[in-house]
Amino acid sequence: MNIVMAASEAVPYAKTGGLADVVGALAIELTKLGHHVILVMPDYRGRAAGESRQLAMRLSIPVDGKPVDITVEEENVPVTGALHRLRVLFVRYDPYFDRPGLYQQDHHDYPDNLERFILFCRAALEIVRGLMETRGEKVDVLHLHDWQTALCAVYLKTLPHEYKGLDQLKVLLTLHNMGYQGIFPGQQFAKLGLPPSLFSPSGLEFYGSVNCLKGGIIFSDTVSTVSPTYAQEIMTAEYGCGLEGVLASRADGVKGITNGIDIDAWNPESDSYLPAQYTAADLSGKRACKRALQRELKLPNRDVPLLAVIGRLTFQKGFDLLIDVIPELMSLDIQTVVLGTGDHHLEQQFIAAQARYPDRIGLCLGFNEGMAHRIEAGSDMLIMPSRYEPCGLSQLYSLRYGTVPIVRRTGGLADTVIPFRPSTIKSGRATGFHFIDASTDSLLSALVLSLHVYKERQTWQSLIYTGMKVDLSWDRSAKLYVDLYRGPQEGKKEN
């Protein structure tokens, strides 16, 4: 098939979170399966030196009633084992995208984010038109990701006179996180260049504001999300973030496809970020990684459980719960390492905790890819107390690296971690620990249970071994996406 994927970020070019990992890995896996894939994304600041890009198009894009001249640059990426290269098209307009951050600076969203992604969505559609009309290429599917690309579906379906020839294009919108919807003041609706009638409850209006994601959900042919459990959860008021009714009104529902990971990039047997490599059959390298991580984060070299925290330090991720139980945790004989960035007040609380317990807590604010790999390899457990989690990637990396995940039973965490129970241990299926409530008591109980099981070396080794043997590749998930591309009947069978 001929697939155009539009996304606001993708590894290795730009990343703020798991969206980038998913888009980059899925594009490569679809290419490996023999499909022609073109990834369209903004050209942000910080391109790597020596990148080979060529001018592909010059376009004039209407934004707020005014034409904006942009360039599109193309890079062809070889994919090991694939017949075709992955093509990446970068939308370049420096006034919008040559900035320190992708969406915000100093924890504040850019005030012109609506205009920035109006331009990007319009540009993505013009690129598709250029590929089809000017270059004579076929495009079967436009795969959109999150609110930053959702307006593509709106423009395509509500302005057919502007996009003649694209009416046969199938549009799939994947929801990676319902907590981010692209909501802007209602008085900015005119900037979209859409008919006024669309600013209504049946259109993009959302309690007096403009909601980009809502428009994408309404006007896309198919909607998916990144795990089966999350697909069910977002139909409820607790997890739908105000759009549960819009989602439930779709006759074909929302398809849930669990994310995979790049098993070549995340492989403890060959990971170049690690001081030592290891396998499920020989974990001596993992023990070496633990000692090296303790040295790197200036923790005493002690044989105690090492707990990891990796991710956005936000309320959604439940890390405020972890802050609240730190005094109880520090009364136990453990060490904790934290890697992440996020809400300022949570960052400050982790800084204060590390200052209070310098020999028990290692802290690395910000994001460092190599450090993420070394923490996954060197830790014994990973804590993910998320209030909601569409899929989650850190727990998948942990399984791959023999680091036992402790997760709240929600979304993709419920789908990907088999909880410790006598029956699951006996059947050789357990890979981690679940807790149900988003509360300090529930979290602490799960942590105490995991520390008790840690002392039972044979049982703990079983958890590690089972987790490391789980198939976490993108192969199956990518094939399910192809089913969705081909039509609703195939897709319905996979939800």
Side-chain angles (χ1 to χ4, degrees), residues 355-373:
R356 184 177 180 183
Y357 305 102
D359 62 337
R360 310 288 295 282
I361 299 176
L363 178 62
C364 183
L365 290 179
F367 184 79
N368 180 293
E369 187 74 22
M371 178 65 78
H373 285 243

Side-chain angles (χ1 to χ4, degrees), residues 116-280:
R116 297 173 75 220
F117 290 102
I118 287 173
L119 179 137
F120 177 61
C121 290
R122 290 274 203 173
L125 291 177
E126 291 300 331
I127 287 171
V128 172
R129 189 209 304 272
L131 292 170
M132 296 175 70
E133 295 182 358
T134 305
R135 296 192 179 187
E137 299 184 30
K138 185 180 180 184
V139 179
D140 300 305
V141 176
L142 178 59
H143 188 168
L144 310 176
H145 296 269
D146 275 353
W147 77 262
Q148 294 91 342
T149 61
L151 288 174
C152 289
V154 181
Y155 288 128
L156 190 63
K157 298 303 173 67
T158 64
L159 302 176
H161 58 286
E162 291 192 26
Y163 298 103
K164 292 179 181 178
L166 304 186
D167 54 318
Q168 298 301 311
L169 195 62
K170 294 180 181 178
V171 180
L172 167 66
L173 171 64
T174 296
L175 311 173
H176 294 262
N177 191 330
M178 290 295 296
Y180 301 92
Q181 298 182 5
I183 299 175
F184 300 92
Q187 56 266 35
Q188 295 190 26
F189 178 80
K191 294 180 179 180
L192 277 70
L194 293 168
S197 60
L198 286 176
F199 190 64
S200 66
S202 60
L204 279 68
E205 189 269 339
F206 184 74
Y207 299 100
S209 298
V210 175
N211 189 316
C212 297
L213 190 67
K214 180 185 178 186
I217 292 169
I218 292 171
F219 291 104
S220 294
D221 297 311
T222 308
V223 176
S224 72
T225 192
V226 291
S227 71
T229 294
Y230 193 59
Q232 298 171 5
E233 289 177 341
I234 60 178
M235 299 291 186
T236 68
E238 183 178 0
Y239 295 98
C241 301
L243 293 181
E244 58 274 6
V246 179
L247 291 164
S249 68
R250 290 191 58 92
D252 60 345
V254 178
K255 320 300 178 186
I257 299 176
T258 305
N259 288 334
I261 63 173
D262 185 337
I263 60 173
D264 294 323
W266 291 88
N267 184 356
E269 297 183 30
S270 58
D271 193 333
S272 60
Y273 287 119
L274 307 185
Q277 285 74 44
Y278 58 94
T279 67

Side-chain angles (χ1 to χ4, degrees), residues 393-471:
L393 293 176
S394 292
Q395 85 280 10
L396 302 181
Y397 301 145
S398 295
L399 293 172
R400 180 84 164 143
Y401 280 64
T403 298
V404 178
I406 305 166
V407 304
R408 181 163 177 260
R409 189 186 302 170
T410 183
L413 302 180
D415 291 332
T416 57
V417 177
I418 306 299
F420 170 87
R421 298 191 186 107
S423 60
T424 56
I425 282 291
K426 184 176 181 180
S427 62
R429 295 184 299 115
T431 59
F433 297 85
H434 283 187
F435 62 98
I436 298 174
D437 298 326
S439 68
T440 54
D441 287 346
S442 191
L443 169 59
L444 194 59
S445 294
L447 290 170
V448 170
L449 173 61
S450 68
L451 293 174
H452 175 75
V453 177
Y454 178 82
K455 297 176 183 178
E456 301 175 6
R457 302 311 298 171
Q458 186 173 352
T459 302
W460 195 259
Q461 292 295 320
S462 173
L463 286 171
I464 291 175
Y465 182 82
T466 303
M468 292 184 73
K469 292 302 181 182
V470 174
D471 180 8

